[in-house]
Every structure is written in C-alpha cells, then in structure tokens.
Amino acid sequence: MTILISTLGQMAFLALLIATGYLLVRLAAVPSSTAKALSKLENNLFVPALMLGTFMQSFTRESFRTSGLFFLAGSIAMLLSLLIATLLSRLFTKDAYLQRIYCYCLGFPNSGFMGNAVMLAMFPGIFMEYLIFTLPQQILTHAFGVPCLLMPKEAQDTTQTRWQRFKHRARPFFNPMLIAMLVGMLIGILNLPLPGFFKSTVNTLGDCMSPVAMLLTGMIIADIDLGGALSNLKSYLISAIRLLAIPLATLMALLLIDMPQPLRICIVCALSMPLGLNSIVIPRAFDLDTTDAAGMILISHLFSCATIPLVFAIFNLI
Amino acid sequence: MNVFLPTLNQMGFLLLLIAIGYLLVRLRAIPDDTTKALSKLENNLFIPALVLGTFMQKFTVSNFKTSGLYLLVGLITALCCVPIALLCCRLFIKDPYNQKICAYGLAFSNFGFMGNTVVQALFPEIFMEYLVFTLPLWAVAYCWGVPALLIPREEGSSLSLKARLKPLLNPMFVATILGMILGLISPPIPSFVSSTVNTLGNCMSPIAMLLTGMTVAKIDFKKILRIPFIYLITLIKLLFFPALGLVLFLLVDVPQGIAVCTMCVLAMPTGLSNIVIPSGYGMDTSVASGLALISHVLSCATIPVVFMLFQSIVA
C-alpha cells in the first residue's frame, strides 16, 4: 500500500506539471515556438547535464563491472519489446504507415523523459543503473526507430552512397547525451577533482530535466485535437497493451527468472511507461498525419497516472 | 573573508550558466526564438512559482508586521536610485535616448533574475523579505521606468494611469498576493501541489541565467565595446551605488536583513528590460546590450568584493 500511495503522489506531481504545460499553451501564455525551444534545451542541455552529473558522482570501477549486465538486459528487453510491437502492429492495421507508427508506439516507451522523472523520484539510488539499462533503447531509437519507423522513406536520400548513409545513421550517436554519459563515466572512474561551482552548475541544470520534460509533454499534448484523439478506439487498445499487458507479462516473466532487485526495478519501470513522444514530434516535422499517434499519446499519458502506481504495487506484492 | 569565497563560488556558478546560455546560441544548439519562449516561461511560470512557494511557506502573521518596513525601505531605495541615476546620466551622456536607457539601467538593476538567484543562494533565510523589499522596485519600474524611459515618447506619454497600472496585474504580483494569503491562513495543501510549486520555482535561477547568456550572445561585441560611457555607467552601477549604500549603513543603524536586501539591490548589474523592451519597438539596443554585457561580467568580481566590504565594515 505504501508504494501505491507514494507512486500515486509522484504521478500526481508529474500530472500537475503536464497540466501546467498544457494550460500555458491553451491560455497562450507562451509563444507557439516554446515546445520546440524546450525540446532542444532538454536534449542538448538538461538531459546531458543530468547524465553527466549522475555518472560523475556514481560511476566507479565497481559499477563499471555490473553495468554490463544492465546493458545486456536492456538490449534483450528492447529487442523483445520491438518483436512484440512488430507482430501486434501487423494485427491492428494493414496500412503500412500506421503499422510503423503502432510499432514505434508499442516498441519504444517514454522511458526517457517520463521514465527518468519517475526513477529519479522513486528510486534515486539506482538511477545510474537505469540510465545504462535504457541506453540500448536510446541507441535503437536513433539507429532504427526514428529513421525507419517515423521518418518518411523519401526523407532518406536514396542517391547517397553506402558510406554516406552509414555516416548519416551514425551521426545521431554523437549527440550531447551519449557524449555526456561517456565524459561522466571517465570523470567518475578517474575520480577527477572538479571545482564546486562546476558540480553545482551540472546538478542544477540536471534538476531542470524532469519539470521541463513534463511541461514539454503538456505542451505537445495541448496541440492535439482532443475530440478526434479520444474517439479512436484503437488508441485505447494500444494504450492498454502498452500500459497493462506488457508490464503484467513482464511481471510474470520476472517471477520465473532470478535476477538482482535493481535490475527488476529498471525493467518494470522502463516497460510500464506510456508511449514515447517522438511518435508525434517526428512525423509532425514531416507534415505526416499524427491523429492516431496523438490519440495514443494523450490516452496513454492520462491513464499512466493510474497504471504506473498499480504496476509498482503489484510488483511490490509479488 | 567568510562571505567572499562563497559569494565568488556562487558568482562562478552563475557565470558558468550565463556562458552556457551564450554558447547554446553561438553554437546554434537551440532555435532563434528560444529567448522569447524562455522569457515568457520565466515571467509567467518560474518566477510566480518561486514567489508563491516562498510566501506559502514563510509568510506568517509575525512576518506580516515586519514586511511593512521592508516595503517602505524598498520604496525609499527606488525613489533615491531614480534621481541619482537621472542626474548621473545627464552629467555624462549627451544623447537623450542613451540618457534614458542608461538611467533605467542604473535605477533598476537586475534585482529580479540575478538578485533572486544571489539572495536565494547566499541569504536563503531572508529570501522572502527580499521579495517583499523588491515589490516597490517592480512597481516603480512597471509604472514609471518602462513607460517613461524605455517606450518611445509618443506611446509612453500617451499612456493613461489605468494603462500604467495594468502591468501590475501580472503573474508575479498575483502569485505574491496568493502566496501571502495561503501563508497567513495556512490551509492544508496536498504535498504534490507544494512539490510542483517548489520544483518549478527551483528552475527560476538556472533558466534566468541561461536567458541572460542567450540575450548577451546576440550582442555585436565590436560595436558596443567602443562606446566609452558604457564603462563609466557600469562602474557607477557596480561600485558607486554599493559604496553609497555602505556609507549610508555606516551612518544609519538599520536591521541586518534590510541592509542585506538594500546592498543586494544596489550591487546587482544592470537589468535586461532595457534591451528587451526597446528591441520590441525596433529601437537601438546597442548601449543597453553593452551595459548588460560589461556589467554582468564585471559583477562576478565586484559582488563578492562588495559583500566582503559590507561584512567587514557594516555587518
């Protein structure tokens, strides 16, 4: 019961931040470009600062040894999730574009913005392990999810040589987040002495990650046509699979497999998150239809405030 | 020496945040209109949340009685700074437009973004009192400073009293009143609401400093560094004004909290409104930008020195 109440409190806090972002846009209290600006700031500054700070502080030789297990488990969880998503998306529709959207929505949960916020609040002691666990998902998002599932095929220049295409695909890996993680690991392992104001700056910027991510979620949701989004039955079904079926199946699997408790928490947390926001942000940038994705994002984020505490309560029980 | 090193460390932290904001713009890591978006978020969300959270938590019946004194001294500070600023600018600057821009910069320092951050970090125990102290400064800036000094004359002078008072009905003032009421009656507030308010309030300082860096990044350095009177006005702002405060507090015995609040307001660099508002009217902002740039950079050294002197001479 304790974990249910504390997770509910935490979800209410995140939901209030999302509602604040939603209201800011609806009341026209911020310019229309705010979501884009915050998204860039989040990806180029706040998330990298959070990663840098976490790894600088917590990454040691000891954790270097155990991180392989988290990375491996994250990779397996991601591949399984993607396999299930591919199969289910084919069952739901014959339309190729929608299949890809459904596949992304089911396969890539919001384990970054939302997952980070939940983990930081609920299990700060294993936040670094969670970042390592979700690293394969970040990699797969950049290497496969976004270019193959969300971007139109025309956007991938077919006149490019194989090397140019490789360079194009590899470019997202040199992003501030991964660089910050590597730098943080180096500083952590070498235990480099850093001035106090530098650490304060990194930590202060990292602390902005959760609130800004939730405000951004609200701002993205505010652009959705609520009537159209809430009237699509498939959105409810996909959200139910993402929020209940996948986490419950994971819980059953965890009963059968023996593994360390921090790893169990990481798996449950990452897989019980709502749908990732990329499924609306990227297609919108290419003027593609985002009605279905918008509906699924709205519904899954709304219901996740109840399902995440529920999943954690069941996890705690069993 | 006690206060010098923590203040220097705090200024290093703020300067690093400003530098990051500057680099984000220069490296084109953020869209062009980020400054506008963040400025709106800061004024409509983060500052009101900080103010609301502070008053909700700390404003009590006993504080209510003492806050009148802070309000009064804040008003006196504003009313003293304005004529001194106008006089200095008339003495040293010939161009009437630049006179107004510099007068605003001298009279209304960056007591909001920078002041809140410095006081929150160095003197958190009197942060609520500082917010009360700066209320009259905001009021004078909104009702007189902006229309008389920053808005073009034909638009500024035609403003009715109602139009001049309208800016006071902003999210920050509303949050102040609401926070005071909640603080006084202390109703039970769900913990997730207070957590949300506090978390949003904690974003105020880093976003404000990033915003300062982003504003500075748009400045044409070569042009503004050649304007000689900018250096003079900066020195007046960062050294002469705090020196006046130090002399005054040597002669007049005032409560420590009031002296700290006054010194914070006097020691801050020039504000950013004299860039943001004239640029909205398509007016030249090179002098205001120069003042902001030079005063913010130099303030990283002068603020710790001023507080060290304050501690050793007055406190």
Side-chain angles (χ1 to χ4, degrees), chain A residues 197, chain B residues 5-15 117-118 120-122:
Chain A
F197 71 87
Chain B
L5 283 179
T7 318
L8 196 65
N9 198 40
Q10 185 58 26
M11 295 315 293
F13 160 69
L14 297 183
L15 191 65
T117 310
V118 170
Q120 217 186 358
L122 294 171

Side-chain angles (χ1 to χ4, degrees), chain A residues 228-239:
Chain A
L230 294 171
S231 60
N232 188 349
L233 278 176
K234 270 187 192 166
S235 301
Y236 291 91
L237 194 57
I238 301 262
S239 300

Side-chain angles (χ1 to χ4, degrees), chain B:
Chain B
M1 203 63 184
N2 263 351
V3 80
F4 181 74
L5 283 179
T7 318
L8 196 65
N9 198 40
Q10 185 58 26
M11 295 315 293
F13 160 69
L14 297 183
L15 191 65
L16 189 54
L17 282 170
I18 294 175
I20 291 169
Y22 177 88
L23 283 175
L24 283 171
V25 172
R26 288 284 170 170
L27 298 173
R28 297 180 182 207
I30 46 171
D32 286 341
D33 40 14
T34 304
T35 316
K36 197 179 165 192
L38 285 190
S39 168
K40 282 275 179 190
L41 263 181
E42 191 73 4
N43 290 318
N44 290 340
L45 184 66
F46 297 136
I47 292 182
L50 179 71
V51 169
L52 180 66
T54 306
F55 280 100
M56 256 164 59
Q57 217 172 329
K58 294 185 177 170
F59 200 71
T60 58
V61 177
S62 66
N63 283 334
F64 184 65
K65 287 171 197 153
T66 55
S67 58
L69 184 62
Y70 281 88
L71 212 58
L72 180 71
V73 179
L75 183 65
I76 294 170
T77 307
L79 295 178
C80 290
C81 285
V82 169
I84 297 172
L86 288 171
L87 187 71
C88 288
C89 293
R90 279 190 193 162
L91 276 176
F92 300 116
I93 303 162
K94 283 179 185 169
D95 177 58
Y97 173 69
N98 287 336
Q99 266 182 11
K100 285 182 176 184
I101 291 291
C102 291
Y104 188 93
L106 274 182
F108 305 103
S109 62
N110 194 345
F111 57 82
F113 287 180
M114 191 91 162
N116 284 348
T117 310
V118 170
V119 177
Q120 217 186 358
L122 294 171
F123 310 101
E125 67 283 358
I126 57 154
F127 183 59
M128 191 204 70
E129 285 78 3
Y130 178 76
L131 289 176
V132 175
F133 184 88
T134 53
L135 279 178
L137 290 147
W138 284 112
V140 176
Y142 282 138
C143 298
W144 177 80
V146 172
L149 299 175
L150 301 183
I151 294 178
R153 182 172 285 184
E154 50 287 7
E155 296 189 40
S157 56
S158 63
L159 285 176
S160 63
L161 182 67
K162 197 179 164 190
R164 281 177 186 243
L165 291 176
K166 201 182 167 190
L168 290 181
L169 203 70
N170 61 36
M172 192 193 76
F173 276 87
V174 174
T176 305
I177 305 289
L178 187 65
M180 283 177 169
I181 294 170
L182 290 174
L184 282 176
I185 59 176
S186 300
I189 294 170
S191 63
F192 73 88
V193 175
S194 42
S195 300
T196 308
V197 171
N198 291 335
T199 305
L200 289 172
N202 288 342
C203 291
M204 192 288 295
S205 299
I207 301 279
M209 292 304 107
L210 290 174
L211 193 55
T212 308
M214 289 172 193
T215 310
V216 166
K218 290 173 184 163
I219 296 173
D220 178 1
F221 278 38
K222 280 182 191 164
K223 189 178 170 188
I224 56 122
L225 292 175
R226 286 181 194 152
I227 306 171
F229 64 81
I230 285 179
Y231 298 94
L232 185 66
I233 298 295
T234 304
L235 288 179
I236 292 172
K237 178 76 212 80
L238 295 177
L239 295 176
F240 177 65
F241 271 53
L244 276 182
L246 285 175
V247 171
L248 184 75
F249 292 129
L250 268 179
L251 304 173
V252 186
D253 193 23
V254 293
Q256 180 81 356
I258 286 193
V260 173
C261 289
T262 314
M263 286 312 296
C264 277
V265 166
L266 294 178
M268 290 303 129
T270 61
L272 300 176
S273 292
N274 55 356
I275 307 175
V276 178
I277 294 172
S279 74
Y281 289 91
M283 293 153 80
D284 181 29
T285 57
S286 49
V287 169
S289 305
L291 271 179
L293 173 70
I294 295 167
S295 69
H296 276 81
V297 171
L298 291 182
S299 71
C300 294
T302 58
I303 290 174
V305 172
V306 165
F307 278 107
M308 189 183 70
L309 289 172
F310 173 73
Q311 192 194 29
S312 50
I313 298 172
V314 183

